[in-house]
Amino acid sequence: MTRTDGPTVTATRETHDAEVLIIGSGLSGIGAAVKLREAGLDDVVLIEKADELGGTWRDNTYPGCACDVPSALYSYSFAPNPEWTRAFAGQPEIRAYLHRTAAAHGITPLIRFGTEAVRAQWHPGDARWHIETNRDRYTARILIAAAGPWHDPLVPDIPGLTDFPGEVFHSSRWRHDHDLTGARVAVVGSGASAVQFVPAIQPQVARLHLFQRTAQWVLPKPDHSVPRAERWLMRRAPGAQRALRTAEYAAMEALGVGFRHPFLLRAVQKVGTLHLRATVKDPGLRRALTPDYTLGCKRLLMSNSYYPALTRPNVTVHATAVRAVEGSRVVGADGSAAEVDTIILGTGFHILDMPIARRVFDAGGASLDDRWKGSPDAYLGTAVTGFPNAFVLLGPHLGTGHSSAFMVLEAQLEYLAGAVRHFRKAGWTSLDVRPEVQAAFNAEVQRALPTTVYNAGGCSSYYLDSNGLNSFSWPWSTGRMRRRLARFDPEAYASTSSAVRVRGYTDS
């Protein structure tokens, strides 16, 4: 398994000044750069540790990788794509879409590839962020953390894993040079990635052992190829694409009502039960694959091929967590074991303990991670008190189990653009969300969460942080999110002003 010990810092470095520095060039970073430039801010730099943009859609190249949100919703509203070839786009198409969007809006030349943020600290003396990277230094008036929660792979601490004599890799770091033909493979995890890659590799391998700690609700996926005639219509009649996007948004929001009132999910859960019964005839296997919690408590999964793949003769489902790896044997907590030569980790990401939080520091030297103490918190999921002029995209409290990340992101970008416009108009040099405002918002969220399926569904999920709090979920509709984030409220912030005009802005 490939391991890295962190970025290597070059000995000779230059210092570059920017008005805004964005960490990351995935869908969040690209969207932020577009909207900030539209708001009149010209001096924007993105730093990207990889040699290509795309974020999670660059990193995740495993077989079968695709979106689990309808394609019409999985795009920027300002960059509609009439060329999706499937109702649920695959990874290559989404990556290509992000490349085209960045190029069309002039963002690609702003990206400094191969540049990893090592430390970013707020300096109140010059009211700027000072950023150390593995290459050069930067200072910036505004810092935007756009690394995202689905970026850094979570590798479980399994005794003996590091001594395994075969190949080990995480699904988001897929080893395409490792031929799985005839291999004996153990898959650890049964979440969103495994549901996609297990059916893709099952016909190829000799044996596949799935170690499933928790059974998942898997709904049938209404996926299909998009006919050329439909794509022609979308190109020629943009209103048709907007209508499709609106209809899909309404359908997802209708599902979201059930997430806030879990008893309404019984009908949807029935669909999952019927899907399982129709595709898995063996009673023992069906019992192992039947969840014991309310649908929606964990991330909602869809697949037409996952259950059928698990019924094949070369597949064994171990309904247990992995206890240890002993030589070439993967041993489950229930004592079951499998002799394998390849281990694939479908174990997710550092969602709430994002590594970027250990690299961003306030004026006193405390990191975001120090401040959060295991429970991430941000006002409107975007601003953190004590970290002036900094914004987190797709941050705490904004996750939904039913909508598109693009819908969440664009709500945030409206707020971010409003903050920048006010920053310019008021001549501010810094803005810092008031601690009582952030605390009140967090309390409001926590009061609303207990009755949602995220908290009341009877499962343990990545929505819950290391302290047992739900730091991930938005407990209301995305419509309410958009309304809350539509207007920047300067009264929620403490600010400092300067008579010096802010460099990098142009009048609208």
Side-chain angles (χ1 to χ4, degrees):
M1 182 167 56
T2 303
R3 299 177 180 83
T4 59
D5 297 320
T8 301
V9 179
T10 56
T12 303
R13 291 173 290 169
E14 297 181 3
T15 298
H16 308 276
D17 297 328
E19 200 57 41
V20 176
L21 185 135
I22 301 171
I23 301 174
S25 64
L27 65 94
S28 298
I30 294 168
V34 170
K35 285 300 179 181
L36 288 173
R37 284 163 64 88
E38 287 181 358
L41 207 155
D42 297 325
D43 189 5
V44 179
V45 171
L46 299 87
I47 59 173
E48 170 57 61
K49 67 180 180 180
D51 58 3
E52 180 189 343
L53 62 83
T56 191
W57 295 106
R58 174 199 62 229
D59 296 341
N60 286 273
T61 61
Y62 58 79
C65 184
C67 192
D68 52 11
V69 171
S71 302
L73 277 182
Y74 207 79
S75 56
Y76 304 106
S77 62
F78 58 80
N81 179 26
E83 304 298 337
W84 297 121
T85 62
R86 298 201 65 83
F88 291 78
Q91 177 266 342
E93 278 196 273
I94 298 172
R95 182 173 62 180
Y97 167 75
L98 292 173
H99 275 266
R100 288 197 308 273
T101 303
H105 288 80
I107 304 305
T108 308
L110 309 179
I111 305 173
R112 307 295 178 257
F113 293 108
T115 303
E116 182 172 1
V118 178
R119 181 185 180 94
Q121 184 163 7
W122 173 250
H123 284 233
D126 58 359
R128 296 183 75 83
W129 284 92
H130 290 225
I131 302 99
E132 297 278 346
T133 78
N134 60 322
R135 291 190 169 184
D136 294 334
R137 296 185 180 94
Y138 291 82
T139 74
R141 183 72 65 196
I142 297 170
L143 179 72
I144 300 174
W150 294 281
H151 174 61
D152 289 274
L154 177 62
V155 177
D157 185 15
I158 301 173
L161 181 63
T162 57
D163 298 321
F164 179 69
E167 294 292 336
V168 182
F169 55 89
H170 192 276
S171 61
S172 67
R173 303 294 184 266
W174 196 271
R175 285 284 308 278
H176 292 281
D177 59 341
H178 178 58
D179 188 4
L180 292 175
T181 304
R184 299 170 301 167
V185 178
V187 173
V188 181
S190 57
S193 299
V195 162
Q196 294 185 341
F197 74 73
V198 164
I201 68 173
Q202 173 272 318
Q204 183 182 5
V205 304
R207 293 293 305 172
L208 192 153
H209 295 269
L210 176 69
F211 285 84
Q212 169 198 272
R213 183 175 60 181
T214 306
Q216 304 280 352
W217 283 107
V218 182
L219 298 177
K221 190 172 187 177
D223 192 20
H224 58 84
S225 61
V226 179
R228 289 186 178 181
E230 183 176 330
R231 282 180 272 155
W232 177 87
L233 175 64
M234 295 299 177
R235 285 195 299 272
R236 297 295 297 271
Q241 190 171 16
R242 288 194 297 270
L244 176 61
R245 183 181 177 97
T246 300
E248 291 182 343
Y249 172 74
M252 300 294 271
E253 282 303 290
L255 179 62
V257 174
F259 282 66
R260 300 188 294 279
H261 304 282
F263 72 93
L264 295 174
L265 291 171
R266 292 171 187 164
V268 184
Q269 193 163 299
K270 186 68 172 178
V271 173
T273 300
L274 292 173
H275 180 48
L276 177 59
R277 287 178 181 173
T279 51
V280 179
K281 302 302 183 183
D282 179 77
L285 179 57
R286 198 161 59 232
R287 280 194 300 273
L289 296 174
T290 300
D292 60 358
Y293 55 87
T294 304
L295 178 145
C297 183
K298 287 179 175 286
R299 181 173 172 178
L300 192 61
L301 307 180
M302 292 186 290
S303 175
N304 301 323
S305 56
Y306 180 65
Y307 285 152
L310 300 185
T311 67
R312 300 296 184 254
N314 66 333
V315 177
T316 301
V317 175
H318 302 259
T320 180
V322 174
R323 185 183 71 204
V325 176
E326 300 172 352
S328 59
R329 295 172 72 246
V330 179
V331 183
D334 64 354
S336 64
E339 191 87 15
V340 299
D341 47 60
T342 302
I343 298 175
I344 303 175
L345 304 172
T347 47
F349 300 88
H350 288 275
I351 301 291
L352 293 173
D353 57 337
M354 295 179 288
I356 190 66
R358 296 191 288 274
R359 302 187 184 193
V360 178
F361 296 81
D362 65 12
S367 69
L368 266 175
D369 196 54
D370 294 332
R371 287 290 194 93
W372 284 340
K373 295 181 172 62
S375 293
D377 177 27
Y379 176 56
L380 297 176
T382 307
V384 181
T385 186
F387 292 79
N389 295 16
F391 300 92
V392 181
L393 297 182
L394 297 182
H397 314 310
L398 290 181
T400 73
H402 66 279
S403 192
S404 164
F406 278 90
M407 304 303 291
V408 175
L409 174 65
E410 291 208 42
Q412 275 194 289
L413 296 184
E414 282 299 314
Y415 188 82
L416 179 61
V420 168
R421 284 192 292 267
H422 194 92
F423 192 98
R424 175 182 62 178
K425 185 176 180 180
W428 287 354
T429 56
S430 72
L431 72 163
D432 188 8
V433 65
R434 298 181 187 277
E436 66 274 16
V437 171
Q438 181 175 325
F441 171 73
N442 184 46
E444 182 186 5
V445 169
Q446 295 304 325
R447 283 194 302 270
L449 279 169
T451 57
T452 66
V453 73
Y454 310 120
N455 282 34
C459 75
S460 176
S461 71
Y462 67 66
Y463 303 149
L464 305 181
D465 60 37
S466 59
N467 297 317
L469 290 175
N470 188 333
S471 300
F472 180 85
S473 302
W474 176 263
W476 306 291
S477 68
T478 56
R480 180 167 174 172
M481 181 190 298
R482 292 163 68 183
R483 290 190 296 273
R484 288 288 296 269
L485 287 163
R487 186 180 68 85
F488 174 74
D489 180 9
E491 298 302 317
Y493 291 79
S495 62
T496 58
S497 302
S498 171
V500 180
R501 186 165 181 79
V502 180
R503 181 176 58 82
Y505 290 122
T506 57
D507 289 324
S508 302

